[in-house]
Amino acid sequence: MEARSRKRALVVGLLVTLAVSGGCDDGGSATPRAVTTSPIVGATSSPAPAVGPSYDATNLDLCRRTDLTPLADLSVRVARTDPKPPLARQGSSCLFEMRTADDHQANLLVEASSLTSAEEAGRLYTATQQVTGMTADGPIADVGEEAEGFLKRSDPGFKYTEYMLHARDANLVVKVWLAVGGDSYLPKEALAAKALTILKATFTAVPHA
């Protein structure tokens, strides 16, 4: 009998506890409230970072696709072309070996390299700055994320003027090197403008992956 009374008291106590937990707010009725879950502050997933353009420069026929019209006033003719791709990286290139009207050496190299990431492309861009052996000619605006020019003059038995531009956009690095020999050095501006036209056209030719 005593055990039954003790059991009844425990049941009553449990019912009272449940009623209190359903609870009143500021004297309101003690009606049970539905259990809800609130979102955890700060637990929402972050949006994926924006992905920039990704280029694929493989299998481009730059020997065929490069327009040599900008070189018309140099009176050069193409002796041979070499489509050998860039060394140890994914991409395409073409070396145009040319002769001037007075039979001096001239060369044009057009190269597009698509790296595995923008960081890898940035390292290639920086490495080119360090090993080019040419004099920096300053940054170039409105071409990719970063671009700059380089100049070199030498005398290997004739006056040889070289101008190189390279630019990076996302995972793509494009390089254009134009060198022309003669009895005198060509003005830097003449080669720089031609190299820039070819550089921009090459960027346009490389498809996004």
Side-chain angles (χ1 to χ4, degrees), residues 94-200:
C94 186
L95 173 63
F96 297 84
E97 296 180 0
M98 303 176 290
R99 305 299 296 183
T100 65
D102 54 1
D103 205 33
H104 283 99
Q105 176 182 340
N107 293 287
L108 170 67
L109 174 67
V110 182
E111 184 177 278
S113 301
S114 51
L115 286 301
T116 56
S117 67
E119 290 74 19
E120 286 289 328
R123 284 192 279 272
L124 173 60
Y125 182 87
T126 300
T128 302
Q129 294 171 323
Q130 296 169 346
V131 303
T132 182
M134 302 173 73
T135 302
D137 192 45
I140 308 298
D142 303 323
V143 185
E145 296 179 50
E146 50 188 344
E148 61 187 333
F150 297 88
L151 174 68
K152 182 177 181 180
R153 292 188 175 101
S154 58
D155 190 349
F158 54 92
K159 307 300 183 185
Y160 198 48
T161 307
E162 304 173 50
Y163 198 85
M164 186 184 81
L165 283 174
H166 74 146
R168 183 193 67 82
D169 188 54
N171 70 316
L172 175 66
V173 177
V174 173
K175 178 169 70 176
V176 174
W177 171 68
L178 177 60
V180 181
D183 295 326
S184 60
Y185 293 117
L186 289 179
K188 175 193 76 175
E189 293 76 16
L191 297 187
K194 299 175 194 308
L196 182 58
T197 298
I198 295 171
L199 183 81
K200 290 180 176 180

